Amino acid sequence: MSNRIEIHDLGQIDYQEAWDYQTKIHNRLISEKRSQPGSADFPHVLILCEHPHVYTLGKSGEESHLKINEQGLGQIQASFYKINRGGDITYHGPGQLVAYPILDLDRIFNDVHRYVRGLEESVILTLAEYGILGDRLPEYTGVWLDPDNDRARKICAIGVHLSRWVSLHGLALNVNTNLNYFNHIIPCGIQEENKTVTSIQKELGIVVEMAEIKQIFTSHFLHTFGLEKTTKSKIFE
């Protein structure tokens, strides 16, 4: 089962609830590794979901990058969490595909940089299906459009955490996202005025079906990491 993965589509779910859900699976995989070293009995898991409006701050970020106070958060019906992933502040909301891969990288490869590049590649291949050229910026994680000029705009943010080589957190791809919510933060802590955010909807001028983008992304993700989809079991309940 070393290359098997379950796909858990949670639909739209509260951020804390999703965090608890992925943490439970993450801890279960770590516990399995500790109790049975070398065992590959448990499948990997890919969680797909959307969140209500929420801002999350990574452990290396600065709270000052959230530009509104608690009252302001209430006015825009958004919540705020400090979490244990890498990176700075980002936004999650309806119309955004959030993917949380919980992978035992001991069974794939022990290289965190290669893992992040793989997440980026999965998104780049997904965007290509829509005729959008995604790319990387060497100094930043995530996926960008036109990264080499003054129209650079970020379409996907990535922030991960690893414990005993089991991954947590993941990526957020702006599909039909309300980009106005990014005005209340300094996205990913990037303060350069010529670097903005975008979405697939903004680039194409059409609304993209979330079910379709989930299917396309999942296909490229599985291929990139050499994984095979397996039937969802009750292992993690």
Side-chain angles (χ1 to χ4, degrees):
M1 196 172 286
S2 62
N3 69 335
R4 301 287 183 132
I5 187 167
E6 294 183 5
I7 311 300
H8 295 196
D9 189 343
L10 305 185
Q12 186 169 138
I13 183 173
D14 176 77
Y15 184 82
Q16 183 66 61
E17 187 177 349
W19 192 5
D20 292 343
Y21 186 88
Q22 62 170 316
T23 300
K24 177 182 177 181
I25 295 173
H26 184 257
N27 290 340
R28 187 76 185 270
L29 279 172
I30 291 174
S31 176
E32 173 74 4
K33 291 183 69 172
R34 285 173 172 162
S35 63
Q36 300 183 52
S39 171
D41 290 340
F42 276 37
H44 311 278
V45 174
L46 173 63
I47 298 171
L48 303 175
C49 64
E50 298 175 66
H51 293 305
H53 305 298
V54 60
Y55 298 103
T56 66
L57 181 69
K59 57 188 178 181
S60 59
E62 297 184 24
E63 194 165 345
S64 62
H65 292 164
L66 176 66
K67 300 192 288 186
I68 55 175
N69 56 24
E70 188 173 347
Q71 181 180 2
L73 287 169
Q75 291 173 347
I76 62 172
Q77 299 182 315
S79 53
F80 172 67
Y81 291 91
K82 295 179 181 178
I83 60 176
N84 62 340
R85 61 162 170 78
D88 206 285
I89 196 166
T90 195
Y91 161 76
H92 300 307
Q96 183 187 70
L97 173 60
V98 179
Y100 298 125
I102 306 175
L103 311 181
D104 180 3
L105 294 182
D106 269 332
R107 292 188 258 149
I108 304 174
F109 48 71
N110 296 115
D111 187 330
V112 64
H113 296 290
R114 183 178 171 187
Y115 172 56
V116 172
R117 299 293 86 78
L119 295 179
E120 293 170 343
E121 185 67 15
S122 301
V123 172
I124 289 170
L125 292 171
T126 299
L127 293 173
E129 300 266 2
Y130 293 91
I132 298 173
L133 180 61
D135 206 344
R136 298 177 175 89
L137 264 175
E139 64 267 40
Y140 300 114
T141 59
V143 179
W144 295 75
L145 309 186
D146 295 319
D148 298 326
N149 60 46
D150 59 6
R151 295 185 62 249
R153 51 214 186 275
K154 194 170 191 177
I155 198 167
C156 176
I158 293 176
V160 301
H161 173 78
L162 295 177
S163 179
R164 291 182 64 89
W165 288 104
V166 179
S167 63
L168 190 68
H169 301 295
L171 63 87
L173 172 61
N174 296 328
V175 183
N176 307 308
T177 315
N178 183 346
L179 300 177
N180 291 328
Y181 275 81
F182 285 96
N183 295 334
H184 302 295
I185 61 174
I186 299 174
C188 303
I190 301 171
Q191 304 192 50
E192 300 169 56
E193 293 184 0
N194 65 334
K195 291 181 173 60
T196 60
V197 293
T198 191
S199 67
I200 296 177
Q201 181 185 18
K202 183 176 181 179
E203 296 298 320
L204 299 182
I206 60 172
V207 174
V208 177
E209 290 293 330
M210 190 61 71
E212 177 185 87
I213 199 93
K214 284 179 179 178
Q215 183 178 19
I216 292 172
F217 169 78
T218 299
S219 176
H220 288 300
F221 176 87
L222 297 183
H223 178 75
T224 298
F225 289 97
L227 299 170
E228 181 181 348
K229 181 179 177 181
T230 189
T231 305
K232 186 178 177 182
S233 66
K234 295 184 178 180
I235 291 175
F236 297 110
E237 293 182 0

